[in-house]
PDB file of all heavy atoms in Angstrom:
ATOM      1  N   ALA A   1      -6.244  18.639  20.765  1.00 83.00           N
ATOM      2  CA  ALA A   1      -5.822  17.472  19.990  1.00 83.00           C
ATOM      3  C   ALA A   1      -6.967  16.930  19.140  1.00 83.00           C
ATOM      4  O   ALA A   1      -6.779  16.569  17.972  1.00 83.00           O
ATOM      5  CB  ALA A   1      -5.295  16.385  20.922  1.00 83.00           C
ATOM      6  N   VAL A   2      -8.167  16.886  19.712  1.00 84.00           N
ATOM      7  CA  VAL A   2      -9.328  16.375  18.979  1.00 84.00           C
ATOM      8  C   VAL A   2      -9.681  17.305  17.823  1.00 84.00           C
ATOM      9  O   VAL A   2      -9.979  16.869  16.707  1.00 84.00           O
ATOM     10  CB  VAL A   2     -10.535  16.195  19.919  1.00 84.00           C
ATOM     11  CG1 VAL A   2     -11.800  15.889  19.118  1.00 84.00           C
ATOM     12  CG2 VAL A   2     -10.268  15.081  20.922  1.00 84.00           C
ATOM     13  N   VAL A   3      -9.625  18.603  18.078  1.00 85.00           N
ATOM     14  CA  VAL A   3     -10.018  19.587  17.065  1.00 85.00           C
ATOM     15  C   VAL A   3      -9.072  19.544  15.869  1.00 85.00           C
ATOM     16  O   VAL A   3      -9.512  19.489  14.712  1.00 85.00           O
ATOM     17  CB  VAL A   3     -10.051  21.002  17.683  1.00 85.00           C
ATOM     18  CG1 VAL A   3     -10.138  22.062  16.586  1.00 85.00           C
ATOM     19  CG2 VAL A   3     -11.226  21.132  18.642  1.00 85.00           C
ATOM     20  N   VAL A   4      -7.768  19.590  16.126  1.00 86.00           N
ATOM     21  CA  VAL A   4      -6.821  19.588  14.999  1.00 86.00           C
ATOM     22  C   VAL A   4      -6.806  18.225  14.303  1.00 86.00           C
ATOM     23  O   VAL A   4      -6.541  18.130  13.106  1.00 86.00           O
ATOM     24  CB  VAL A   4      -5.403  19.993  15.446  1.00 86.00           C
ATOM     25  CG1 VAL A   4      -5.404  21.421  15.964  1.00 86.00           C
ATOM     26  CG2 VAL A   4      -4.849  19.046  16.491  1.00 86.00           C
ATOM     27  N   SER A   5      -7.105  17.166  15.061  1.00 84.00           N
ATOM     28  CA  SER A   5      -7.167  15.839  14.451  1.00 84.00           C
ATOM     29  C   SER A   5      -8.373  15.701  13.536  1.00 84.00           C
ATOM     30  O   SER A   5      -8.341  14.927  12.571  1.00 84.00           O
ATOM     31  CB  SER A   5      -7.205  14.749  15.534  1.00 84.00           C
ATOM     32  OG  SER A   5      -6.004  14.740  16.283  1.00 84.00           O
ATOM     33  N   LEU A   6      -9.429  16.445  13.827  1.00 84.00           N
ATOM     34  CA  LEU A   6     -10.620  16.410  12.976  1.00 84.00           C
ATOM     35  C   LEU A   6     -10.279  16.865  11.559  1.00 84.00           C
ATOM     36  O   LEU A   6     -10.675  16.236  10.577  1.00 84.00           O
ATOM     37  CB  LEU A   6     -11.710  17.303  13.575  1.00 84.00           C
ATOM     38  CG  LEU A   6     -13.015  17.425  12.778  1.00 84.00           C
ATOM     39  CD1 LEU A   6     -13.724  16.077  12.717  1.00 84.00           C
ATOM     40  CD2 LEU A   6     -13.922  18.479  13.419  1.00 84.00           C
ATOM     41  N   ALA A   7      -9.529  17.951  11.477  1.00 83.00           N
ATOM     42  CA  ALA A   7      -9.142  18.468  10.163  1.00 83.00           C
ATOM     43  C   ALA A   7      -8.195  17.502   9.449  1.00 83.00           C
ATOM     44  O   ALA A   7      -8.337  17.230   8.255  1.00 83.00           O
ATOM     45  CB  ALA A   7      -8.490  19.838  10.310  1.00 83.00           C
ATOM     46  N   ALA A   8      -7.211  16.965  10.178  1.00 83.00           N
ATOM     47  CA  ALA A   8      -6.253  16.055   9.567  1.00 83.00           C
ATOM     48  C   ALA A   8      -6.915  14.734   9.168  1.00 83.00           C
ATOM     49  O   ALA A   8      -6.566  14.147   8.146  1.00 83.00           O
ATOM     50  CB  ALA A   8      -5.093  15.794  10.533  1.00 83.00           C
ATOM     51  N   PHE A   9      -7.875  14.273   9.977  1.00 84.00           N
ATOM     52  CA  PHE A   9      -8.598  13.041   9.661  1.00 84.00           C
ATOM     53  C   PHE A   9      -9.297  13.169   8.312  1.00 84.00           C
ATOM     54  O   PHE A   9      -9.276  12.238   7.496  1.00 84.00           O
ATOM     55  CB  PHE A   9      -9.625  12.752  10.760  1.00 84.00           C
ATOM     56  CG  PHE A   9     -10.320  11.430  10.621  1.00 84.00           C
ATOM     57  CD1 PHE A   9      -9.822  10.305  11.242  1.00 84.00           C
ATOM     58  CD2 PHE A   9     -11.478  11.311   9.869  1.00 84.00           C
ATOM     59  CE1 PHE A   9     -10.465   9.073  11.117  1.00 84.00           C
ATOM     60  CE2 PHE A   9     -12.123  10.094   9.737  1.00 84.00           C
ATOM     61  CZ  PHE A   9     -11.617   8.972  10.369  1.00 84.00           C
ATOM     62  N   MET A  10      -9.892  14.330   8.083  1.00 83.00           N
ATOM     63  CA  MET A  10     -10.598  14.597   6.834  1.00 83.00           C
ATOM     64  C   MET A  10      -9.640  14.473   5.648  1.00 83.00           C
ATOM     65  O   MET A  10      -9.983  13.879   4.606  1.00 83.00           O
ATOM     66  CB  MET A  10     -11.205  16.001   6.900  1.00 83.00           C
ATOM     67  CG  MET A  10     -11.897  16.486   5.648  1.00 83.00           C
ATOM     68  SD  MET A  10     -12.620  18.138   5.908  1.00 83.00           S
ATOM     69  CE  MET A  10     -11.146  19.130   6.236  1.00 83.00           C
ATOM     70  N   GLU A  11      -8.434  14.985   5.804  1.00 82.00           N
ATOM     71  CA  GLU A  11      -7.470  14.961   4.703  1.00 82.00           C
ATOM     72  C   GLU A  11      -6.902  13.568   4.475  1.00 82.00           C
ATOM     73  O   GLU A  11      -6.791  13.103   3.336  1.00 82.00           O
ATOM     74  CB  GLU A  11      -6.332  15.946   5.004  1.00 82.00           C
ATOM     75  CG  GLU A  11      -5.396  16.187   3.844  1.00 82.00           C
ATOM     76  CD  GLU A  11      -4.264  15.173   3.791  1.00 82.00           C
ATOM     77  OE1 GLU A  11      -3.842  14.704   4.872  1.00 82.00           O
ATOM     78  OE2 GLU A  11      -3.821  14.839   2.680  1.00 82.00           O
ATOM     79  N   VAL A  12      -6.553  12.857   5.560  1.00 80.00           N
ATOM     80  CA  VAL A  12      -5.997  11.511   5.417  1.00 80.00           C
ATOM     81  C   VAL A  12      -7.039  10.569   4.821  1.00 80.00           C
ATOM     82  O   VAL A  12      -6.722   9.697   4.008  1.00 80.00           O
ATOM     83  CB  VAL A  12      -5.508  10.978   6.783  1.00 80.00           C
ATOM     84  CG1 VAL A  12      -5.002   9.545   6.642  1.00 80.00           C
ATOM     85  CG2 VAL A  12      -4.402  11.866   7.330  1.00 80.00           C
ATOM     86  N   LEU A  13      -8.292  10.757   5.215  1.00 81.00           N
ATOM     87  CA  LEU A  13      -9.382   9.925   4.695  1.00 81.00           C
ATOM     88  C   LEU A  13      -9.447  10.010   3.173  1.00 81.00           C
ATOM     89  O   LEU A  13      -9.717   9.019   2.489  1.00 81.00           O
ATOM     90  CB  LEU A  13     -10.702  10.380   5.306  1.00 81.00           C
ATOM     91  CG  LEU A  13     -11.917   9.470   5.114  1.00 81.00           C
ATOM     92  CD1 LEU A  13     -11.764   8.195   5.935  1.00 81.00           C
ATOM     93  CD2 LEU A  13     -13.195  10.195   5.529  1.00 81.00           C
ATOM     94  N   ASP A  14      -9.169  11.192   2.634  1.00 78.00           N
ATOM     95  CA  ASP A  14      -9.282  11.393   1.192  1.00 78.00           C
ATOM     96  C   ASP A  14      -8.167  10.714   0.401  1.00 78.00           C
ATOM     97  O   ASP A  14      -8.238  10.654  -0.827  1.00 78.00           O
ATOM     98  CB  ASP A  14      -9.309  12.891   0.867  1.00 78.00           C
ATOM     99  CG  ASP A  14     -10.733  13.410   0.734  1.00 78.00           C
ATOM    100  OD1 ASP A  14     -11.544  13.090   1.622  1.00 78.00           O
ATOM    101  OD2 ASP A  14     -11.039  14.107  -0.234  1.00 78.00           O
ATOM    102  N   THR A  15      -7.140  10.200   1.075  1.00 74.00           N
ATOM    103  CA  THR A  15      -6.096   9.469   0.360  1.00 74.00           C
ATOM    104  C   THR A  15      -6.560   8.067  -0.017  1.00 74.00           C
ATOM    105  O   THR A  15      -5.998   7.447  -0.926  1.00 74.00           O
ATOM    106  CB  THR A  15      -4.817   9.344   1.215  1.00 74.00           C
ATOM    107  OG1 THR A  15      -5.105   8.617   2.410  1.00 74.00           O
ATOM    108  CG2 THR A  15      -4.272  10.714   1.567  1.00 74.00           C
ATOM    109  N   THR A  16      -7.592   7.540   0.656  1.00 73.00           N
ATOM    110  CA  THR A  16      -8.064   6.179   0.362  1.00 73.00           C
ATOM    111  C   THR A  16      -9.539   6.113  -0.012  1.00 73.00           C
ATOM    112  O   THR A  16      -9.968   5.156  -0.651  1.00 73.00           O
ATOM    113  CB  THR A  16      -7.829   5.246   1.566  1.00 73.00           C
ATOM    114  OG1 THR A  16      -8.521   5.768   2.718  1.00 73.00           O
ATOM    115  CG2 THR A  16      -6.357   5.125   1.881  1.00 73.00           C
ATOM    116  N   ILE A  17     -10.319   7.107   0.391  1.00 78.00           N
ATOM    117  CA  ILE A  17     -11.768   7.015   0.195  1.00 78.00           C
ATOM    118  C   ILE A  17     -12.158   7.053  -1.278  1.00 78.00           C
ATOM    119  O   ILE A  17     -13.175   6.472  -1.684  1.00 78.00           O
ATOM    120  CB  ILE A  17     -12.488   8.151   0.970  1.00 78.00           C
ATOM    121  CG1 ILE A  17     -13.989   7.865   1.084  1.00 78.00           C
ATOM    122  CG2 ILE A  17     -12.248   9.508   0.314  1.00 78.00           C
ATOM    123  CD1 ILE A  17     -14.720   8.849   1.985  1.00 78.00           C
ATOM    124  N   VAL A  18     -11.347   7.704  -2.106  1.00 76.00           N
ATOM    125  CA  VAL A  18     -11.669   7.843  -3.530  1.00 76.00           C
ATOM    126  C   VAL A  18     -11.358   6.572  -4.316  1.00 76.00           C
ATOM    127  O   VAL A  18     -11.917   6.345  -5.388  1.00 76.00           O
ATOM    128  CB  VAL A  18     -10.917   9.057  -4.123  1.00 76.00           C
ATOM    129  CG1 VAL A  18     -11.162   9.193  -5.621  1.00 76.00           C
ATOM    130  CG2 VAL A  18     -11.342  10.340  -3.420  1.00 76.00           C
ATOM    131  N   ASN A  19     -10.479   5.720  -3.762  1.00 71.00           N
ATOM    132  CA  ASN A  19     -10.036   4.536  -4.505  1.00 71.00           C
ATOM    133  C   ASN A  19     -11.192   3.695  -5.026  1.00 71.00           C
ATOM    134  O   ASN A  19     -11.194   3.258  -6.182  1.00 71.00           O
ATOM    135  CB  ASN A  19      -9.145   3.655  -3.616  1.00 71.00           C
ATOM    136  CG  ASN A  19      -7.849   4.352  -3.233  1.00 71.00           C
ATOM    137  OD1 ASN A  19      -7.734   5.562  -3.328  1.00 71.00           O
ATOM    138  ND2 ASN A  19      -6.885   3.585  -2.778  1.00 71.00           N
ATOM    139  N   VAL A  20     -12.188   3.447  -4.159  1.00 70.00           N
ATOM    140  CA  VAL A  20     -13.272   2.550  -4.536  1.00 70.00           C
ATOM    141  C   VAL A  20     -14.264   3.215  -5.483  1.00 70.00           C
ATOM    142  O   VAL A  20     -15.151   2.549  -6.012  1.00 70.00           O
ATOM    143  CB  VAL A  20     -14.013   2.042  -3.280  1.00 70.00           C
ATOM    144  CG1 VAL A  20     -13.090   1.207  -2.421  1.00 70.00           C
ATOM    145  CG2 VAL A  20     -14.590   3.203  -2.471  1.00 70.00           C
ATOM    146  N   ALA A  21     -14.147   4.531  -5.661  1.00 74.00           N
ATOM    147  CA  ALA A  21     -15.111   5.255  -6.505  1.00 74.00           C
ATOM    148  C   ALA A  21     -14.554   5.607  -7.873  1.00 74.00           C
ATOM    149  O   ALA A  21     -15.251   6.234  -8.678  1.00 74.00           O
ATOM    150  CB  ALA A  21     -15.560   6.536  -5.799  1.00 74.00           C
ATOM    151  N   LEU A  22     -13.315   5.205  -8.173  1.00 72.00           N
ATOM    152  CA  LEU A  22     -12.692   5.611  -9.437  1.00 72.00           C
ATOM    153  C   LEU A  22     -13.492   5.149 -10.651  1.00 72.00           C
ATOM    154  O   LEU A  22     -13.652   5.900 -11.625  1.00 72.00           O
ATOM    155  CB  LEU A  22     -11.260   5.073  -9.519  1.00 72.00           C
ATOM    156  CG  LEU A  22     -10.218   5.733  -8.603  1.00 72.00           C
ATOM    157  CD1 LEU A  22      -8.865   5.087  -8.800  1.00 72.00           C
ATOM    158  CD2 LEU A  22     -10.136   7.231  -8.861  1.00 72.00           C
ATOM    159  N   SER A  23     -14.008   3.922 -10.614  1.00 72.00           N
ATOM    160  CA  SER A  23     -14.772   3.427 -11.763  1.00 72.00           C
ATOM    161  C   SER A  23     -16.057   4.218 -11.945  1.00 72.00           C
ATOM    162  O   SER A  23     -16.489   4.479 -13.071  1.00 72.00           O
ATOM    163  CB  SER A  23     -15.087   1.948 -11.584  1.00 72.00           C
ATOM    164  OG  SER A  23     -15.845   1.725 -10.405  1.00 72.00           O
ATOM    165  N   HIS A  24     -16.684   4.633 -10.837  1.00 77.00           N
ATOM    166  CA  HIS A  24     -17.910   5.423 -10.916  1.00 77.00           C
ATOM    167  C   HIS A  24     -17.614   6.823 -11.462  1.00 77.00           C
ATOM    168  O   HIS A  24     -18.388   7.370 -12.256  1.00 77.00           O
ATOM    169  CB  HIS A  24     -18.557   5.526  -9.539  1.00 77.00           C
ATOM    170  CG  HIS A  24     -19.020   4.208  -8.984  1.00 77.00           C
ATOM    171  ND1 HIS A  24     -20.307   3.742  -9.136  1.00 77.00           N
ATOM    172  CD2 HIS A  24     -18.353   3.244  -8.306  1.00 77.00           C
ATOM    173  CE1 HIS A  24     -20.420   2.565  -8.562  1.00 77.00           C
ATOM    174  NE2 HIS A  24     -19.249   2.240  -8.042  1.00 77.00           N
ATOM    175  N   ILE A  25     -16.503   7.398 -10.999  1.00 81.00           N
ATOM    176  CA  ILE A  25     -16.122   8.735 -11.484  1.00 81.00           C
ATOM    177  C   ILE A  25     -15.826   8.678 -12.977  1.00 81.00           C
ATOM    178  O   ILE A  25     -16.277   9.526 -13.753  1.00 81.00           O
ATOM    179  CB  ILE A  25     -14.898   9.254 -10.705  1.00 81.00           C
ATOM    180  CG1 ILE A  25     -15.262   9.479  -9.227  1.00 81.00           C
ATOM    181  CG2 ILE A  25     -14.380  10.556 -11.311  1.00 81.00           C
ATOM    182  CD1 ILE A  25     -14.077   9.828  -8.348  1.00 81.00           C
ATOM    183  N   GLY A  26     -15.045   7.654 -13.380  1.00 77.00           N
ATOM    184  CA  GLY A  26     -14.740   7.507 -14.796  1.00 77.00           C
ATOM    185  C   GLY A  26     -15.984   7.295 -15.636  1.00 77.00           C
ATOM    186  O   GLY A  26     -16.108   7.843 -16.737  1.00 77.00           O
ATOM    187  N   GLY A  27     -16.932   6.519 -15.114  1.00 79.00           N
ATOM    188  CA  GLY A  27     -18.181   6.281 -15.840  1.00 79.00           C
ATOM    189  C   GLY A  27     -18.992   7.544 -16.027  1.00 79.00           C
ATOM    190  O   GLY A  27     -19.646   7.733 -17.068  1.00 79.00           O
ATOM    191  N   SER A  28     -18.966   8.436 -15.041  1.00 80.00           N
ATOM    192  CA  SER A  28     -19.721   9.687 -15.145  1.00 80.00           C
ATOM    193  C   SER A  28     -19.210  10.578 -16.264  1.00 80.00           C
ATOM    194  O   SER A  28     -19.972  11.335 -16.861  1.00 80.00           O
ATOM    195  CB  SER A  28     -19.643  10.457 -13.815  1.00 80.00           C
ATOM    196  OG  SER A  28     -20.246   9.737 -12.778  1.00 80.00           O
ATOM    197  N   PHE A  29     -17.908  10.474 -16.546  1.00 81.00           N
ATOM    198  CA  PHE A  29     -17.302  11.342 -17.552  1.00 81.00           C
ATOM    199  C   PHE A  29     -16.879  10.575 -18.806  1.00 81.00           C
ATOM    200  O   PHE A  29     -16.127  11.100 -19.635  1.00 81.00           O
ATOM    201  CB  PHE A  29     -16.093  12.068 -16.959  1.00 81.00           C
ATOM    202  CG  PHE A  29     -16.410  12.886 -15.738  1.00 81.00           C
ATOM    203  CD1 PHE A  29     -15.664  12.744 -14.573  1.00 81.00           C
ATOM    204  CD2 PHE A  29     -17.471  13.779 -15.751  1.00 81.00           C
ATOM    205  CE1 PHE A  29     -15.948  13.495 -13.444  1.00 81.00           C
ATOM    206  CE2 PHE A  29     -17.762  14.535 -14.621  1.00 81.00           C
ATOM    207  CZ  PHE A  29     -17.017  14.391 -13.468  1.00 81.00           C
ATOM    208  N   ALA A  30     -17.341   9.323 -18.933  1.00 75.00           N
ATOM    209  CA  ALA A  30     -16.995   8.482 -20.081  1.00 75.00           C
ATOM    210  C   ALA A  30     -15.485   8.418 -20.277  1.00 75.00           C
ATOM    211  O   ALA A  30     -14.973   8.512 -21.401  1.00 75.00           O
ATOM    212  CB  ALA A  30     -17.677   9.001 -21.343  1.00 75.00           C
ATOM    213  N   ALA A  31     -14.753   8.245 -19.168  1.00 73.00           N
ATOM    214  CA  ALA A  31     -13.293   8.205 -19.211  1.00 73.00           C
ATOM    215  C   ALA A  31     -12.803   6.768 -19.064  1.00 73.00           C
ATOM    216  O   ALA A  31     -13.485   5.920 -18.477  1.00 73.00           O
ATOM    217  CB  ALA A  31     -12.712   9.073 -18.093  1.00 73.00           C
ATOM    218  N   SER A  32     -11.625   6.491 -19.565  1.00 69.00           N
ATOM    219  CA  SER A  32     -11.027   5.169 -19.444  1.00 69.00           C
ATOM    220  C   SER A  32     -10.497   4.970 -18.024  1.00 69.00           C
ATOM    221  O   SER A  32     -10.393   5.917 -17.239  1.00 69.00           O
ATOM    222  CB  SER A  32      -9.877   5.019 -20.440  1.00 69.00           C
ATOM    223  OG  SER A  32      -8.811   5.897 -20.100  1.00 69.00           O
ATOM    224  N   GLN A  33     -10.115   3.728 -17.730  1.00 63.00           N
ATOM    225  CA  GLN A  33      -9.572   3.429 -16.401  1.00 63.00           C
ATOM    226  C   GLN A  33      -8.258   4.174 -16.167  1.00 63.00           C
ATOM    227  O   GLN A  33      -8.010   4.683 -15.068  1.00 63.00           O
ATOM    228  CB  GLN A  33      -9.353   1.926 -16.249  1.00 63.00           C
ATOM    229  CG  GLN A  33      -8.842   1.522 -14.866  1.00 63.00           C
ATOM    230  CD  GLN A  33      -8.691   0.031 -14.720  1.00 63.00           C
ATOM    231  OE1 GLN A  33      -9.095  -0.725 -15.598  1.00 63.00           O
ATOM    232  NE2 GLN A  33      -8.105  -0.413 -13.627  1.00 63.00           N
ATOM    233  N   ASP A  34      -7.408   4.246 -17.196  1.00 65.00           N
ATOM    234  CA  ASP A  34      -6.145   4.966 -17.061  1.00 65.00           C
ATOM    235  C   ASP A  34      -6.370   6.440 -16.740  1.00 65.00           C
ATOM    236  O   ASP A  34      -5.671   7.020 -15.902  1.00 65.00           O
ATOM    237  CB  ASP A  34      -5.320   4.843 -18.349  1.00 65.00           C
ATOM    238  CG  ASP A  34      -4.773   3.429 -18.544  1.00 65.00           C
ATOM    239  OD1 ASP A  34      -4.861   2.632 -17.589  1.00 65.00           O
ATOM    240  OD2 ASP A  34      -4.274   3.135 -19.644  1.00 65.00           O
ATOM    241  N   GLU A  35      -7.342   7.047 -17.399  1.00 69.00           N
ATOM    242  CA  GLU A  35      -7.651   8.460 -17.134  1.00 69.00           C
ATOM    243  C   GLU A  35      -8.200   8.636 -15.729  1.00 69.00           C
ATOM    244  O   GLU A  35      -7.881   9.612 -15.037  1.00 69.00           O
ATOM    245  CB  GLU A  35      -8.667   8.966 -18.165  1.00 69.00           C
ATOM    246  CG  GLU A  35      -8.114   9.081 -19.577  1.00 69.00           C
ATOM    247  CD  GLU A  35      -9.190   9.405 -20.604  1.00 69.00           C
ATOM    248  OE1 GLU A  35     -10.348   8.968 -20.424  1.00 69.00           O
ATOM    249  OE2 GLU A  35      -8.880  10.104 -21.583  1.00 69.00           O
ATOM    250  N   SER A  36      -9.006   7.680 -15.281  1.00 71.00           N
ATOM    251  CA  SER A  36      -9.616   7.780 -13.957  1.00 71.00           C
ATOM    252  C   SER A  36      -8.571   7.741 -12.850  1.00 71.00           C
ATOM    253  O   SER A  36      -8.724   8.409 -11.819  1.00 71.00           O
ATOM    254  CB  SER A  36     -10.627   6.647 -13.748  1.00 71.00           C
ATOM    255  OG  SER A  36     -11.657   6.704 -14.706  1.00 71.00           O
ATOM    256  N   THR A  37      -7.506   6.959 -13.035  1.00 71.00           N
ATOM    257  CA  THR A  37      -6.505   6.841 -11.976  1.00 71.00           C
ATOM    258  C   THR A  37      -5.773   8.156 -11.720  1.00 71.00           C
ATOM    259  O   THR A  37      -5.202   8.340 -10.643  1.00 71.00           O
ATOM    260  CB  THR A  37      -5.472   5.755 -12.320  1.00 71.00           C
ATOM    261  OG1 THR A  37      -4.838   6.062 -13.571  1.00 71.00           O
ATOM    262  CG2 THR A  37      -6.125   4.389 -12.394  1.00 71.00           C
ATOM    263  N   TRP A  38      -5.815   9.090 -12.684  1.00 75.00           N
ATOM    264  CA  TRP A  38      -5.181  10.387 -12.457  1.00 75.00           C
ATOM    265  C   TRP A  38      -5.931  11.202 -11.401  1.00 75.00           C
ATOM    266  O   TRP A  38      -5.374  12.144 -10.836  1.00 75.00           O
ATOM    267  CB  TRP A  38      -5.075  11.174 -13.761  1.00 75.00           C
ATOM    268  CG  TRP A  38      -3.933  10.720 -14.606  1.00 75.00           C
ATOM    269  CD1 TRP A  38      -3.975   9.931 -15.713  1.00 75.00           C
ATOM    270  CD2 TRP A  38      -2.543  11.012 -14.379  1.00 75.00           C
ATOM    271  NE1 TRP A  38      -2.713   9.709 -16.194  1.00 75.00           N
ATOM    272  CE2 TRP A  38      -1.811  10.357 -15.398  1.00 75.00           C
ATOM    273  CE3 TRP A  38      -1.854  11.748 -13.425  1.00 75.00           C
ATOM    274  CZ2 TRP A  38      -0.432  10.424 -15.475  1.00 75.00           C
ATOM    275  CZ3 TRP A  38      -0.468  11.820 -13.503  1.00 75.00           C
ATOM    276  CH2 TRP A  38       0.225  11.171 -14.515  1.00 75.00           C
ATOM    277  N   VAL A  39      -7.179  10.846 -11.122  1.00 78.00           N
ATOM    278  CA  VAL A  39      -7.909  11.492 -10.018  1.00 78.00           C
ATOM    279  C   VAL A  39      -7.189  11.211  -8.701  1.00 78.00           C
ATOM    280  O   VAL A  39      -7.119  12.075  -7.818  1.00 78.00           O
ATOM    281  CB  VAL A  39      -9.367  10.981  -9.964  1.00 78.00           C
ATOM    282  CG1 VAL A  39     -10.097  11.537  -8.746  1.00 78.00           C
ATOM    283  CG2 VAL A  39     -10.104  11.363 -11.241  1.00 78.00           C
ATOM    284  N   LEU A  40      -6.661  10.010  -8.578  1.00 74.00           N
ATOM    285  CA  LEU A  40      -5.902   9.648  -7.382  1.00 74.00           C
ATOM    286  C   LEU A  40      -4.460  10.130  -7.464  1.00 74.00           C
ATOM    287  O   LEU A  40      -3.929  10.700  -6.501  1.00 74.00           O
ATOM    288  CB  LEU A  40      -5.939   8.126  -7.200  1.00 74.00           C
ATOM    289  CG  LEU A  40      -5.213   7.555  -5.984  1.00 74.00           C
ATOM    290  CD1 LEU A  40      -5.821   8.079  -4.694  1.00 74.00           C
ATOM    291  CD2 LEU A  40      -5.263   6.034  -6.012  1.00 74.00           C
TER     292      LEU A  40
END
């Protein structure tokens, strides 16, 4: 249970972990906010 949960935890984490970094990602590529949200 712990082993398979480790893999699933990694994937579920990625559904929210990127949210706070969208502005930084967009800034790195000189992209607008609308373009950045497509990362999510």
Side-chain angles (χ1 to χ4, degrees):
V2 171
V3 167
V4 297
S5 295
L6 178 65
F9 186 92
M10 176 178 63
E11 190 273 328
V12 177
L13 192 70
D14 265 47
T15 61
T16 59
I17 195 173
V18 177
N19 295 18
V20 296
L22 288 180
S23 60
H24 296 266
I25 294 173
S28 297
F29 303 129
S32 66
Q33 182 177 352
D34 289 349
E35 291 172 328
S36 300
T37 58
W38 281 103
V39 175
L40 181 62

